[in-house]
PDB file of all heavy atoms in Angstrom:
ATOM      1  N   GLU H 336      24.414  26.473  -8.559  1.00 81.00           N
ATOM      2  CA  GLU H 336      25.166  27.378  -9.419  1.00 81.00           C
ATOM      3  C   GLU H 336      25.624  28.567  -8.582  1.00 81.00           C
ATOM      4  O   GLU H 336      24.813  29.225  -7.940  1.00 81.00           O
ATOM      5  CB  GLU H 336      24.302  27.845 -10.582  1.00 81.00           C
ATOM      6  CG  GLU H 336      24.102  26.760 -11.624  1.00 81.00           C
ATOM      7  CD  GLU H 336      23.349  27.285 -12.836  1.00 81.00           C
ATOM      8  OE1 GLU H 336      22.545  28.215 -12.651  1.00 81.00           O
ATOM      9  OE2 GLU H 336      23.557  26.772 -13.929  1.00 81.00           O
ATOM     10  N   VAL H 337      26.910  28.829  -8.573  1.00 87.00           N
ATOM     11  CA  VAL H 337      27.465  29.907  -7.769  1.00 87.00           C
ATOM     12  C   VAL H 337      27.527  31.171  -8.620  1.00 87.00           C
ATOM     13  O   VAL H 337      28.057  31.154  -9.731  1.00 87.00           O
ATOM     14  CB  VAL H 337      28.867  29.547  -7.254  1.00 87.00           C
ATOM     15  CG1 VAL H 337      29.435  30.683  -6.414  1.00 87.00           C
ATOM     16  CG2 VAL H 337      28.802  28.268  -6.436  1.00 87.00           C
ATOM     17  N   ARG H 338      26.988  32.251  -8.076  1.00 86.00           N
ATOM     18  CA  ARG H 338      26.935  33.520  -8.798  1.00 86.00           C
ATOM     19  C   ARG H 338      27.771  34.593  -8.098  1.00 86.00           C
ATOM     20  O   ARG H 338      28.071  34.487  -6.913  1.00 86.00           O
ATOM     21  CB  ARG H 338      25.488  34.015  -8.910  1.00 86.00           C
ATOM     22  CG  ARG H 338      24.616  33.105  -9.750  1.00 86.00           C
ATOM     23  CD  ARG H 338      23.186  33.631  -9.807  1.00 86.00           C
ATOM     24  NE  ARG H 338      22.386  32.789 -10.679  1.00 86.00           N
ATOM     25  CZ  ARG H 338      22.292  32.940 -11.987  1.00 86.00           C
ATOM     26  NH1 ARG H 338      22.939  33.929 -12.559  1.00 86.00           N
ATOM     27  NH2 ARG H 338      21.563  32.132 -12.717  1.00 86.00           N
ATOM     28  N   ILE H 339      28.121  35.616  -8.828  1.00 86.00           N
ATOM     29  CA  ILE H 339      28.802  36.762  -8.243  1.00 86.00           C
ATOM     30  C   ILE H 339      27.806  37.488  -7.341  1.00 86.00           C
ATOM     31  O   ILE H 339      26.720  37.858  -7.790  1.00 86.00           O
ATOM     32  CB  ILE H 339      29.304  37.730  -9.341  1.00 86.00           C
ATOM     33  CG1 ILE H 339      30.316  37.021 -10.249  1.00 86.00           C
ATOM     34  CG2 ILE H 339      29.913  38.975  -8.714  1.00 86.00           C
ATOM     35  CD1 ILE H 339      31.596  36.622  -9.580  1.00 86.00           C
ATOM     36  N   PRO H 340      28.151  37.686  -6.067  1.00 81.00           N
ATOM     37  CA  PRO H 340      27.235  38.380  -5.156  1.00 81.00           C
ATOM     38  C   PRO H 340      27.228  39.877  -5.417  1.00 81.00           C
ATOM     39  O   PRO H 340      27.829  40.357  -6.389  1.00 81.00           O
ATOM     40  CB  PRO H 340      27.815  38.051  -3.780  1.00 81.00           C
ATOM     41  CG  PRO H 340      29.279  37.889  -4.045  1.00 81.00           C
ATOM     42  CD  PRO H 340      29.391  37.265  -5.412  1.00 81.00           C
ATOM     43  N   ASP H 341      26.581  40.616  -4.548  1.00 73.00           N
ATOM     44  CA  ASP H 341      26.528  42.073  -4.668  1.00 73.00           C
ATOM     45  C   ASP H 341      27.936  42.647  -4.556  1.00 73.00           C
ATOM     46  O   ASP H 341      28.622  42.483  -3.564  1.00 73.00           O
ATOM     47  CB  ASP H 341      25.644  42.623  -3.544  1.00 73.00           C
ATOM     48  CG  ASP H 341      25.538  44.142  -3.580  1.00 73.00           C
ATOM     49  OD1 ASP H 341      26.035  44.744  -4.551  1.00 73.00           O
ATOM     50  OD2 ASP H 341      24.957  44.718  -2.654  1.00 73.00           O
ATOM     51  N   ILE H 342      28.395  43.324  -5.625  1.00 77.00           N
ATOM     52  CA  ILE H 342      29.727  43.941  -5.627  1.00 77.00           C
ATOM     53  C   ILE H 342      29.603  45.446  -5.855  1.00 77.00           C
ATOM     54  O   ILE H 342      30.458  46.082  -6.465  1.00 77.00           O
ATOM     55  CB  ILE H 342      30.659  43.298  -6.674  1.00 77.00           C
ATOM     56  CG1 ILE H 342      30.007  43.294  -8.065  1.00 77.00           C
ATOM     57  CG2 ILE H 342      31.047  41.904  -6.272  1.00 77.00           C
ATOM     58  CD1 ILE H 342      30.946  42.790  -9.167  1.00 77.00           C
ATOM     59  N   GLY H 343      28.506  46.005  -5.354  1.00 71.00           N
ATOM     60  CA  GLY H 343      28.320  47.448  -5.499  1.00 71.00           C
ATOM     61  C   GLY H 343      27.952  47.821  -6.919  1.00 71.00           C
ATOM     62  O   GLY H 343      27.262  47.091  -7.624  1.00 71.00           O
ATOM     63  N   ASP H 344      28.442  48.969  -7.367  1.00 71.00           N
ATOM     64  CA  ASP H 344      28.095  49.480  -8.696  1.00 71.00           C
ATOM     65  C   ASP H 344      29.077  49.044  -9.768  1.00 71.00           C
ATOM     66  O   ASP H 344      29.028  49.536 -10.899  1.00 71.00           O
ATOM     67  CB  ASP H 344      28.043  51.023  -8.663  1.00 71.00           C
ATOM     68  CG  ASP H 344      26.933  51.521  -7.761  1.00 71.00           C
ATOM     69  OD1 ASP H 344      25.909  50.830  -7.660  1.00 71.00           O
ATOM     70  OD2 ASP H 344      27.096  52.599  -7.158  1.00 71.00           O
ATOM     71  N   PHE H 345      29.975  48.128  -9.449  1.00 77.00           N
ATOM     72  CA  PHE H 345      30.980  47.716 -10.419  1.00 77.00           C
ATOM     73  C   PHE H 345      30.367  46.866 -11.528  1.00 77.00           C
ATOM     74  O   PHE H 345      29.509  46.023 -11.285  1.00 77.00           O
ATOM     75  CB  PHE H 345      32.104  46.937  -9.731  1.00 77.00           C
ATOM     76  CG  PHE H 345      32.855  47.756  -8.720  1.00 77.00           C
ATOM     77  CD1 PHE H 345      32.811  47.441  -7.380  1.00 77.00           C
ATOM     78  CD2 PHE H 345      33.585  48.858  -9.119  1.00 77.00           C
ATOM     79  CE1 PHE H 345      33.486  48.199  -6.440  1.00 77.00           C
ATOM     80  CE2 PHE H 345      34.267  49.621  -8.190  1.00 77.00           C
ATOM     81  CZ  PHE H 345      34.226  49.289  -6.848  1.00 77.00           C
ATOM     82  N   LYS H 346      30.801  47.099 -12.762  1.00 82.00           N
ATOM     83  CA  LYS H 346      30.329  46.351 -13.917  1.00 82.00           C
ATOM     84  C   LYS H 346      31.530  45.818 -14.692  1.00 82.00           C
ATOM     85  O   LYS H 346      32.594  46.437 -14.727  1.00 82.00           O
ATOM     86  CB  LYS H 346      29.489  47.244 -14.853  1.00 82.00           C
ATOM     87  CG  LYS H 346      28.311  47.944 -14.178  1.00 82.00           C
ATOM     88  CD  LYS H 346      27.243  46.963 -13.744  1.00 82.00           C
ATOM     89  CE  LYS H 346      26.063  47.691 -13.121  1.00 82.00           C
ATOM     90  NZ  LYS H 346      25.051  46.762 -12.587  1.00 82.00           N
ATOM     91  N   ASP H 347      31.323  44.662 -15.332  1.00 86.00           N
ATOM     92  CA  ASP H 347      32.355  44.075 -16.195  1.00 86.00           C
ATOM     93  C   ASP H 347      33.711  44.015 -15.485  1.00 86.00           C
ATOM     94  O   ASP H 347      34.717  44.537 -15.970  1.00 86.00           O
ATOM     95  CB  ASP H 347      32.483  44.860 -17.509  1.00 86.00           C
ATOM     96  CG  ASP H 347      31.192  44.854 -18.303  1.00 86.00           C
ATOM     97  OD1 ASP H 347      30.494  43.827 -18.262  1.00 86.00           O
ATOM     98  OD2 ASP H 347      30.878  45.863 -18.955  1.00 86.00           O
ATOM     99  N   VAL H 348      33.713  43.372 -14.317  1.00 86.00           N
ATOM    100  CA  VAL H 348      34.931  43.273 -13.512  1.00 86.00           C
ATOM    101  C   VAL H 348      35.742  42.056 -13.964  1.00 86.00           C
ATOM    102  O   VAL H 348      35.204  40.947 -14.038  1.00 86.00           O
ATOM    103  CB  VAL H 348      34.585  43.150 -12.013  1.00 86.00           C
ATOM    104  CG1 VAL H 348      35.856  43.163 -11.183  1.00 86.00           C
ATOM    105  CG2 VAL H 348      33.654  44.273 -11.589  1.00 86.00           C
ATOM    106  N   PRO H 349      37.012  42.210 -14.273  1.00 88.00           N
ATOM    107  CA  PRO H 349      37.817  41.084 -14.764  1.00 88.00           C
ATOM    108  C   PRO H 349      38.121  40.048 -13.676  1.00 88.00           C
ATOM    109  O   PRO H 349      38.353  40.393 -12.518  1.00 88.00           O
ATOM    110  CB  PRO H 349      39.118  41.750 -15.243  1.00 88.00           C
ATOM    111  CG  PRO H 349      38.815  43.202 -15.344  1.00 88.00           C
ATOM    112  CD  PRO H 349      37.747  43.480 -14.328  1.00 88.00           C
ATOM    113  N   VAL H 350      38.120  38.788 -14.075  1.00 89.00           N
ATOM    114  CA  VAL H 350      38.583  37.697 -13.221  1.00 89.00           C
ATOM    115  C   VAL H 350      40.101  37.647 -13.340  1.00 89.00           C
ATOM    116  O   VAL H 350      40.636  37.522 -14.433  1.00 89.00           O
ATOM    117  CB  VAL H 350      37.978  36.350 -13.657  1.00 89.00           C
ATOM    118  CG1 VAL H 350      38.545  35.210 -12.819  1.00 89.00           C
ATOM    119  CG2 VAL H 350      36.464  36.380 -13.558  1.00 89.00           C
ATOM    120  N   ILE H 351      40.797  37.777 -12.209  1.00 86.00           N
ATOM    121  CA  ILE H 351      42.265  37.778 -12.277  1.00 86.00           C
ATOM    122  C   ILE H 351      42.874  36.484 -11.750  1.00 86.00           C
ATOM    123  O   ILE H 351      44.065  36.249 -11.942  1.00 86.00           O
ATOM    124  CB  ILE H 351      42.862  38.982 -11.523  1.00 86.00           C
ATOM    125  CG1 ILE H 351      42.460  38.956 -10.045  1.00 86.00           C
ATOM    126  CG2 ILE H 351      42.438  40.291 -12.162  1.00 86.00           C
ATOM    127  CD1 ILE H 351      43.189  39.987  -9.195  1.00 86.00           C
ATOM    128  N   GLU H 352      42.054  35.652 -11.074  1.00 85.00           N
ATOM    129  CA  GLU H 352      42.578  34.379 -10.579  1.00 85.00           C
ATOM    130  C   GLU H 352      41.424  33.424 -10.291  1.00 85.00           C
ATOM    131  O   GLU H 352      40.373  33.841  -9.798  1.00 85.00           O
ATOM    132  CB  GLU H 352      43.407  34.592  -9.320  1.00 85.00           C
ATOM    133  CG  GLU H 352      44.220  33.375  -8.897  1.00 85.00           C
ATOM    134  CD  GLU H 352      45.229  33.696  -7.806  1.00 85.00           C
ATOM    135  OE1 GLU H 352      45.320  34.861  -7.389  1.00 85.00           O
ATOM    136  OE2 GLU H 352      45.921  32.767  -7.364  1.00 85.00           O
ATOM    137  N   VAL H 353      41.609  32.158 -10.631  1.00 89.00           N
ATOM    138  CA  VAL H 353      40.653  31.099 -10.292  1.00 89.00           C
ATOM    139  C   VAL H 353      41.371  30.145  -9.355  1.00 89.00           C
ATOM    140  O   VAL H 353      42.405  29.575  -9.706  1.00 89.00           O
ATOM    141  CB  VAL H 353      40.159  30.356 -11.549  1.00 89.00           C
ATOM    142  CG1 VAL H 353      39.194  29.239 -11.165  1.00 89.00           C
ATOM    143  CG2 VAL H 353      39.480  31.320 -12.516  1.00 89.00           C
ATOM    144  N   PHE H 354      40.844  29.989  -8.144  1.00 88.00           N
ATOM    145  CA  PHE H 354      41.552  29.245  -7.098  1.00 88.00           C
ATOM    146  C   PHE H 354      41.264  27.743  -7.101  1.00 88.00           C
ATOM    147  O   PHE H 354      41.936  26.995  -6.387  1.00 88.00           O
ATOM    148  CB  PHE H 354      41.186  29.802  -5.715  1.00 88.00           C
ATOM    149  CG  PHE H 354      41.555  31.238  -5.519  1.00 88.00           C
ATOM    150  CD1 PHE H 354      40.580  32.209  -5.367  1.00 88.00           C
ATOM    151  CD2 PHE H 354      42.889  31.622  -5.498  1.00 88.00           C
ATOM    152  CE1 PHE H 354      40.914  33.534  -5.182  1.00 88.00           C
ATOM    153  CE2 PHE H 354      43.242  32.952  -5.312  1.00 88.00           C
ATOM    154  CZ  PHE H 354      42.253  33.908  -5.161  1.00 88.00           C
ATOM    155  N   VAL H 355      40.258  27.291  -7.828  1.00 91.00           N
ATOM    156  CA  VAL H 355      39.860  25.881  -7.773  1.00 91.00           C
ATOM    157  C   VAL H 355      39.852  25.279  -9.170  1.00 91.00           C
ATOM    158  O   VAL H 355      39.915  25.986 -10.172  1.00 91.00           O
ATOM    159  CB  VAL H 355      38.459  25.733  -7.133  1.00 91.00           C
ATOM    160  CG1 VAL H 355      38.470  26.208  -5.692  1.00 91.00           C
ATOM    161  CG2 VAL H 355      37.409  26.514  -7.934  1.00 91.00           C
ATOM    162  N   LYS H 356      39.733  23.956  -9.187  1.00 91.00           N
ATOM    163  CA  LYS H 356      39.606  23.248 -10.461  1.00 91.00           C
ATOM    164  C   LYS H 356      38.489  22.218 -10.327  1.00 91.00           C
ATOM    165  O   LYS H 356      38.040  21.899  -9.211  1.00 91.00           O
ATOM    166  CB  LYS H 356      40.918  22.583 -10.853  1.00 91.00           C
ATOM    167  CG  LYS H 356      41.430  21.547  -9.879  1.00 91.00           C
ATOM    168  CD  LYS H 356      42.785  21.016 -10.318  1.00 91.00           C
ATOM    169  CE  LYS H 356      43.316  19.934  -9.370  1.00 91.00           C
ATOM    170  NZ  LYS H 356      43.516  20.433  -8.007  1.00 91.00           N
ATOM    171  N   VAL H 357      38.040  21.702 -11.440  1.00 91.00           N
ATOM    172  CA  VAL H 357      36.969  20.705 -11.419  1.00 91.00           C
ATOM    173  C   VAL H 357      37.391  19.506 -10.583  1.00 91.00           C
ATOM    174  O   VAL H 357      38.509  19.009 -10.710  1.00 91.00           O
ATOM    175  CB  VAL H 357      36.615  20.276 -12.858  1.00 91.00           C
ATOM    176  CG1 VAL H 357      35.644  19.096 -12.840  1.00 91.00           C
ATOM    177  CG2 VAL H 357      35.999  21.438 -13.626  1.00 91.00           C
ATOM    178  N   GLY H 358      36.499  19.084  -9.687  1.00 90.00           N
ATOM    179  CA  GLY H 358      36.783  17.951  -8.827  1.00 90.00           C
ATOM    180  C   GLY H 358      37.227  18.335  -7.427  1.00 90.00           C
ATOM    181  O   GLY H 358      37.225  17.499  -6.523  1.00 90.00           O
ATOM    182  N   ASP H 359      37.622  19.612  -7.247  1.00 91.00           N
ATOM    183  CA  ASP H 359      38.032  20.070  -5.916  1.00 91.00           C
ATOM    184  C   ASP H 359      36.844  20.084  -4.957  1.00 91.00           C
ATOM    185  O   ASP H 359      35.719  20.412  -5.346  1.00 91.00           O
ATOM    186  CB  ASP H 359      38.611  21.488  -5.982  1.00 91.00           C
ATOM    187  CG  ASP H 359      40.044  21.506  -6.495  1.00 91.00           C
ATOM    188  OD1 ASP H 359      40.589  20.411  -6.732  1.00 91.00           O
ATOM    189  OD2 ASP H 359      40.600  22.603  -6.667  1.00 91.00           O
ATOM    190  N   THR H 360      37.099  19.738  -3.703  1.00 91.00           N
ATOM    191  CA  THR H 360      36.083  19.853  -2.651  1.00 91.00           C
ATOM    192  C   THR H 360      36.321  21.163  -1.907  1.00 91.00           C
ATOM    193  O   THR H 360      37.442  21.428  -1.463  1.00 91.00           O
ATOM    194  CB  THR H 360      36.172  18.671  -1.675  1.00 91.00           C
ATOM    195  OG1 THR H 360      35.924  17.453  -2.397  1.00 91.00           O
ATOM    196  CG2 THR H 360      35.132  18.805  -0.567  1.00 91.00           C
ATOM    197  N   VAL H 361      35.300  21.974  -1.798  1.00 88.00           N
ATOM    198  CA  VAL H 361      35.431  23.270  -1.124  1.00 88.00           C
ATOM    199  C   VAL H 361      34.467  23.343   0.045  1.00 88.00           C
ATOM    200  O   VAL H 361      33.440  22.673   0.074  1.00 88.00           O
ATOM    201  CB  VAL H 361      35.159  24.444  -2.096  1.00 88.00           C
ATOM    202  CG1 VAL H 361      36.180  24.447  -3.217  1.00 88.00           C
ATOM    203  CG2 VAL H 361      33.747  24.377  -2.662  1.00 88.00           C
ATOM    204  N   LYS H 362      34.820  24.162   1.018  1.00 85.00           N
ATOM    205  CA  LYS H 362      33.956  24.431   2.159  1.00 85.00           C
ATOM    206  C   LYS H 362      33.349  25.818   1.993  1.00 85.00           C
ATOM    207  O   LYS H 362      33.870  26.638   1.239  1.00 85.00           O
ATOM    208  CB  LYS H 362      34.763  24.355   3.467  1.00 85.00           C
ATOM    209  CG  LYS H 362      35.456  23.031   3.715  1.00 85.00           C
ATOM    210  CD  LYS H 362      36.098  22.986   5.093  1.00 85.00           C
ATOM    211  CE  LYS H 362      37.167  24.048   5.288  1.00 85.00           C
ATOM    212  NZ  LYS H 362      38.348  23.838   4.448  1.00 85.00           N
ATOM    213  N   ALA H 363      32.270  26.074   2.713  1.00 77.00           N
ATOM    214  CA  ALA H 363      31.664  27.401   2.692  1.00 77.00           C
ATOM    215  C   ALA H 363      32.713  28.438   3.086  1.00 77.00           C
ATOM    216  O   ALA H 363      33.507  28.219   4.008  1.00 77.00           O
ATOM    217  CB  ALA H 363      30.469  27.459   3.650  1.00 77.00           C
ATOM    218  N   GLU H 364      32.754  29.546   2.354  1.00 75.00           N
ATOM    219  CA  GLU H 364      33.665  30.674   2.562  1.00 75.00           C
ATOM    220  C   GLU H 364      35.057  30.448   1.979  1.00 75.00           C
ATOM    221  O   GLU H 364      35.892  31.350   2.033  1.00 75.00           O
ATOM    222  CB  GLU H 364      33.785  31.066   4.046  1.00 75.00           C
ATOM    223  CG  GLU H 364      32.475  31.475   4.701  1.00 75.00           C
ATOM    224  CD  GLU H 364      31.783  32.613   3.975  1.00 75.00           C
ATOM    225  OE1 GLU H 364      32.487  33.534   3.515  1.00 75.00           O
ATOM    226  OE2 GLU H 364      30.544  32.567   3.840  1.00 75.00           O
ATOM    227  N   ASP H 365      35.341  29.259   1.411  1.00 83.00           N
ATOM    228  CA  ASP H 365      36.608  29.084   0.698  1.00 83.00           C
ATOM    229  C   ASP H 365      36.613  30.004  -0.521  1.00 83.00           C
ATOM    230  O   ASP H 365      35.594  30.128  -1.210  1.00 83.00           O
ATOM    231  CB  ASP H 365      36.784  27.633   0.236  1.00 83.00           C
ATOM    232  CG  ASP H 365      37.256  26.720   1.345  1.00 83.00           C
ATOM    233  OD1 ASP H 365      37.535  27.230   2.437  1.00 83.00           O
ATOM    234  OD2 ASP H 365      37.333  25.497   1.111  1.00 83.00           O
ATOM    235  N   PRO H 366      37.753  30.652  -0.836  1.00 84.00           N
ATOM    236  CA  PRO H 366      37.789  31.535  -2.017  1.00 84.00           C
ATOM    237  C   PRO H 366      37.697  30.724  -3.306  1.00 84.00           C
ATOM    238  O   PRO H 366      38.345  29.678  -3.446  1.00 84.00           O
ATOM    239  CB  PRO H 366      39.147  32.233  -1.888  1.00 84.00           C
ATOM    240  CG  PRO H 366      39.979  31.306  -1.062  1.00 84.00           C
ATOM    241  CD  PRO H 366      39.037  30.631  -0.112  1.00 84.00           C
ATOM    242  N   LEU H 367      36.910  31.207  -4.243  1.00 90.00           N
ATOM    243  CA  LEU H 367      36.737  30.536  -5.532  1.00 90.00           C
ATOM    244  C   LEU H 367      37.459  31.284  -6.643  1.00 90.00           C
ATOM    245  O   LEU H 367      38.226  30.696  -7.396  1.00 90.00           O
ATOM    246  CB  LEU H 367      35.241  30.413  -5.863  1.00 90.00           C
ATOM    247  CG  LEU H 367      34.384  29.635  -4.857  1.00 90.00           C
ATOM    248  CD1 LEU H 367      32.925  29.644  -5.289  1.00 90.00           C
ATOM    249  CD2 LEU H 367      34.888  28.207  -4.699  1.00 90.00           C
ATOM    250  N   VAL H 368      37.181  32.573  -6.771  1.00 89.00           N
ATOM    251  CA  VAL H 368      37.847  33.390  -7.786  1.00 89.00           C
ATOM    252  C   VAL H 368      38.194  34.736  -7.171  1.00 89.00           C
ATOM    253  O   VAL H 368      37.660  35.133  -6.140  1.00 89.00           O
ATOM    254  CB  VAL H 368      36.971  33.607  -9.038  1.00 89.00           C
ATOM    255  CG1 VAL H 368      36.589  32.287  -9.690  1.00 89.00           C
ATOM    256  CG2 VAL H 368      35.726  34.429  -8.711  1.00 89.00           C
ATOM    257  N   SER H 369      39.102  35.436  -7.821  1.00 84.00           N
ATOM    258  CA  SER H 369      39.467  36.783  -7.394  1.00 84.00           C
ATOM    259  C   SER H 369      39.166  37.747  -8.532  1.00 84.00           C
ATOM    260  O   SER H 369      39.431  37.455  -9.708  1.00 84.00           O
ATOM    261  CB  SER H 369      40.960  36.848  -7.042  1.00 84.00           C
ATOM    262  OG  SER H 369      41.311  38.129  -6.580  1.00 84.00           O
ATOM    263  N   LEU H 370      38.574  38.901  -8.186  1.00 85.00           N
ATOM    264  CA  LEU H 370      38.209  39.916  -9.164  1.00 85.00           C
ATOM    265  C   LEU H 370      39.006  41.186  -8.881  1.00 85.00           C
ATOM    266  O   LEU H 370      39.403  41.447  -7.752  1.00 85.00           O
ATOM    267  CB  LEU H 370      36.712  40.244  -9.082  1.00 85.00           C
ATOM    268  CG  LEU H 370      35.735  39.069  -9.010  1.00 85.00           C
ATOM    269  CD1 LEU H 370      34.308  39.596  -8.875  1.00 85.00           C
ATOM    270  CD2 LEU H 370      35.868  38.188 -10.245  1.00 85.00           C
TER     271      LEU H 370
END
Side-chain angles (χ1 to χ4, degrees):
E336 286 185 331
V337 180
R338 295 179 177 274
I339 298 294
D341 179 7
I342 53 174
D344 295 329
F345 297 115
K346 305 292 182 185
D347 299 325
V348 185
V350 176
I351 60 171
E352 192 169 359
V353 179
F354 299 113
V355 297
K356 61 184 182 299
V357 172
D359 282 357
T360 299
V361 298
K362 302 186 299 293
E364 300 304 321
D365 280 355
L367 301 178
V368 301
S369 182
L370 314 178

